[in-house]
Amino acid sequence: MFNTKDDAILYPINHSCAHLLAQAVSNIYSDVKFWVGPVVEEGFYYDMDLGEATIKEEDFPKIEKEMKRLAKDGKRIVGRKVTKKEAQDFFKDNPYKLYLIDKFDEDSDEISFYTQGDFTDLCRGGHVESLKELKYFKLLKVAGAYWLNDSKNKMLTRVYGIAFDSEEKLKAYENYLEECKARDHRKLGKELDIFMTSELVGPGLNLWLPNGAVIRRTLERYIVDKELERGYHHVYTPVLASSELYKISGHWDHYKDGMYPVMKMDKEEVVLRPMNCPHHMLLFKNSLHSYRDLPIRIGELGQDFRYEKSGAVMGLERVRGMCQNDAHIFVRKDQIKEEIKGVVELILDVYKDFNIKNYKFRLSLKGDDNEKYYNDPSMWENAENSLREILNELNVEYYEAKDEAAFYGPKLDVQIKTALGHELTLSTCQLDFLLPRKFDLYYIDENNEKVTPVVIHRAILGTFERFSAYLIEEYKGAMPLWLAPTQVMVIPVHHEYHLEYAKNIVTELRKLGFRTELNAKNEKLGYRVREANSQKIPIQLVVGEGEVSNNTITLRRFGSRNQVSYEKNELYKLIEIENKTKFIYEEDNNNN
Ligand code: TSB
Ligand code: ZN
C-alpha cells in the first residue's frame, strides 16, 4: 500500500528526508556520528552513534520541528564527485563513513557528496532538488541496531520516518498506523482477556486466560482432527531430556544459544527442549520399519522452550515458552515430493478455513556461518536442490532467502506480516537428510537392506502462540463463530420479565454445544448490547415481549446494525451450520 522504495516519486523524497533528519539531529545533538540512512519499504531510517546521548520518541517533536525549519529554509541539495582522499579527510572523525569509503578503489570516480546548507553526507544520490519539497513527513519510531547487524559491534540508534508528496497521503498513512495499533494483539489480548504475563513468571512465558484457552483448545482439536484424517499419529513426549540427546542431534553444536542452560541433578544433566525432533527420532527408532510402512507421520502438540532475547520477545508472537503444532514425517527418497505436496495442500486447506490470504512462500536456504549450519556441503546442495525442484514441479510461487534455513536443512516457510509490520514465519515445511543419519535410523528396503529415511519437519499452525497472535490481528479481535470464546450472548430485554425464556435459550444452546452466556444484569438493554459488542461476541440474541409470545429470537451480529427475527429452531440450525462450516461473517465489520 505504501511502498516508498519502489515508487519513483516517493523514493527521492524519502531519501532526502533521511538526510534532513540527519541534518536536524546534528544541529540538536553534538558529536553525532552517522552511519547510513536508506529508503525502505515503508519510509526511511538513519542509523547514528549518539555517543552518550539518546533519542526517545518524546524527542520526535523537537527533531521534527528542526526538520520543518530546515525544510522551510529550503536549501538546494547539491551533489559533487570527490576523490577518496578528500572523502577520507572530510570524514576523518567518523569511523563508520571511513569504513564505507575504504571500500572504494584509490582512484574511484564513484564517490560523491551531497550538501544542503552546512550539512554534507556521503551519498550515491537520488534526491529532490531542494529541501523545500519536503513538507509531509513524520518520524515513526526509534530502535537499537548493531552496526553491520553484528551483535559484537556497537549498538547504534536507528530513527525511522516516512515522507509523502501530499498531505492526503500522509493523513492516509497516519490513519493506517492508527488502525494497525488498534489491531495489535497485545492490546486486544488484554482487552479481550485472552492472555497475560507476569514478571513473576518471566518474559515470553504467557499465561492463557480462559478466553484464550478456548481459542487454543479449538485450534488444537481442529488441527489434530485434520492430521488424523491425513494419516498422522499423535504422541506425547516430555519437555525435558538428557543433554546427551541434543549432543547427538547436533542442537548442542548449532542451536545452543537458543536453549535454556543445563539443569544438573546428581549425575544427570537435563535440558528443556527447544524442538521436538530428537524425541520423535527416538520414537521412530523404537520399532523396526519396512519400506512398505513409510511414510510414518508422527505428530505432537509439543511444548518447547527457546531462549529468545528479552528484547525480541513480543506478546504471543515471539515467545520463550511455546507449543508447536509439530510433526516429523519419515519417508523414502521416492516419497519426498508426494509428501511435501501433501504438506503444502494441508497448509492451503487450513489457510482457507481461516481466510488467510496475505502470505508468501519463502524457500529458506543455508548461509555461510559454519557454526549455525551443519557442515556438509554436498548434503546441503542435495537438500536445497531437491526442495527447489519440488516447489517448481508443484508450481508453488516462492522467493528465495539465504541464511534462513534450519541447522539441519532448508525450509519452505510461509511468511506473513503482523499488524505492526513484522515479517514472521507461520507455517514451515523442512527437508532433513541429517537427523536420521545422526540417530542411525533405518528402514528395511525390498532387498532386505538397511536404508536411512529422510525426515520432513513441518508445523502447519506453527505455534499456537504465534498463530493466535496472528488471528487476533487479522480478525481485529472479532473471532468467527467457531473460534469465539463466547459464541452466543443471550440478552433479555427486561432482566426479570424475560429471564426465564432467556435462560431456556441458554440451556438449549449449551446442549447443542455452543459456548453461551446470559447477560441479565439490571442495566439498560443498550448498555448490555454495547457490552457484548465490546467483547466482540459474534452472536447476540435479544429476547423481549414479542419474542416470548411468538417463540422467536432476534439476532444481532457483532459488526452489524441489522436485527433479524427467527423462529427459535430455525436460528439454532442456522448457527449450527455457520459453526460447522467455519463461516466468517464480514458484513460492514468496520462499524464497531
Ligand atoms: C517444524 N523442528 C522444526 C519442527 O519440526 C522446528 O522447530 N521448526 S521451527 O524452528 O521453524 O519452528 C516451527 C514454528 O514455530 C515456526 O515456523 C514458527 O511459526 C514458530 N516459532 C518459532 N519460534 C517461535 C517463537 N519464539 N515464538 C513463537 N513461535 C515461534
Ligand atoms: Zn523438527
Side-chain angles (χ1 to χ4, degrees), residues 78-299:
V78 186
R80 70 188 167 95
K81 292 229 183 293
V82 292
T83 63
K84 185 168 179 178
K85 173 83 177 49
E86 209 178 323
Q88 281 166 330
D89 286 347
F90 188 87
F91 284 108
K92 64 179 185 309
D93 297 325
N94 182 334
Y96 307 109
K97 297 286 185 194
L98 286 178
Y99 173 88
L100 278 184
I101 297 165
D102 209 41
K103 294 199 173 303
F104 289 97
D105 290 337
E106 258 345 288
D107 50 1
S108 166
D109 61 354
E110 284 175 8
I111 310 177
S112 51
F113 278 2
Y114 277 76
T115 300
Q116 54 205 49
D118 57 3
F119 179 81
T120 295
D121 205 350
L122 177 77
C123 176
R124 233 186 259 121
H127 286 286
V128 293
E129 289 267 308
S130 125
L131 295 183
K132 256 203 187 84
E133 293 172 53
L134 308 177
K135 287 189 188 135
Y136 314 106
F137 55 79
K138 181 184 173 63
L139 296 183
L140 296 173
K141 60 180 175 180
V142 54
Y146 291 110
W147 184 47
L148 301 175
N149 213 6
D150 184 340
S151 60
K152 289 183 209 96
N153 289 337
K154 184 161 186 183
M155 171 97 77
L156 304 179
T157 302
R158 177 172 293 178
V159 180
Y160 289 88
I162 194 162
F164 294 97
D165 55 339
S166 74
E167 184 158 6
E168 297 81 74
K169 279 192 199 163
L170 177 61
K171 279 260 145 65
Y173 186 74
E174 282 170 343
N175 288 342
Y176 159 77
L177 284 186
E178 283 305 309
E179 207 202 290
C180 291
K181 264 197 210 144
R183 276 171 49 199
D184 186 334
H185 77 277
R186 293 169 303 177
K187 181 173 173 284
L188 288 169
K190 201 170 182 174
E191 286 168 8
L192 299 172
D193 286 325
I194 291 174
F195 72 100
M196 61 166 275
T197 50
S198 160
E199 275 176 22
L200 291 174
V201 180
L205 300 165
N206 295 280
L207 289 80
W208 295 74
L209 294 161
N211 283 345
V214 170
I215 297 173
R216 174 161 166 182
R217 197 178 319 109
T218 310
L219 294 175
E220 288 175 357
R221 288 178 177 165
Y222 163 80
I223 197 67
V224 171
D225 283 350
K226 279 251 171 222
E227 290 176 354
L228 295 180
E229 205 181 291
R230 284 174 173 260
Y232 285 75
H233 299 279
H234 268 256
V235 298
Y236 296 97
T237 58
V239 295
L240 290 171
S242 146
S243 49
E244 199 54 37
L245 182 67
Y246 299 94
K247 286 179 186 158
I248 296 172
S249 68
H251 283 79
W252 207 254
D253 288 337
H254 303 286
Y255 202 79
K256 209 154 170 242
D257 289 350
M259 290 168 70
Y260 276 78
V262 169
M263 285 173 262
K264 285 196 173 126
M265 303 115 47
D266 301 326
K267 286 190 190 108
E268 287 174 62
E269 252 192 39
V270 293
V271 288
L272 277 167
R273 68 175 172 195
M275 294 189 191
N276 315 307
C277 353
H279 285 91
H280 290 187
M281 301 294 139
L282 299 180
L283 291 175
F284 181 87
K285 207 172 172 164
N286 182 53
S287 46
L288 199 61
H289 304 282
S290 132
Y291 66 99
R292 283 189 238 94
D293 303 333
L294 270 43
I296 291 176
R297 307 179 184 91
I298 301 181

Side-chain angles (χ1 to χ4, degrees), residues 277 326 328 408 457:
C277 353
D326 202 2
H328 295 93
Y408 43 75
H457 306 236

Side-chain angles (χ1 to χ4, degrees), residues 340 344 347-348 359-365 383-402 404 410-415 423 427 429:
I340 288 185
V344 172
I347 292 174
L348 297 178
Y359 60 87
K360 282 185 184 155
F361 281 107
R362 178 181 81 182
L363 173 58
S364 305
L365 306 168
E384 292 187 346
N385 286 341
S386 319
L387 194 51
R388 190 183 286 113
E389 256 169 49
I390 290 169
L391 296 180
N392 291 340
E393 271 183 52
L394 295 179
N395 250 331
V396 175
E397 213 177 289
Y398 65 92
Y399 68 99
E400 299 197 2
K402 269 189 86 164
E404 296 288 354
K411 311 190 283 176
L412 173 65
D413 290 324
V414 183
Q415 300 299 107
E423 186 181 321
S427 313
C429 175

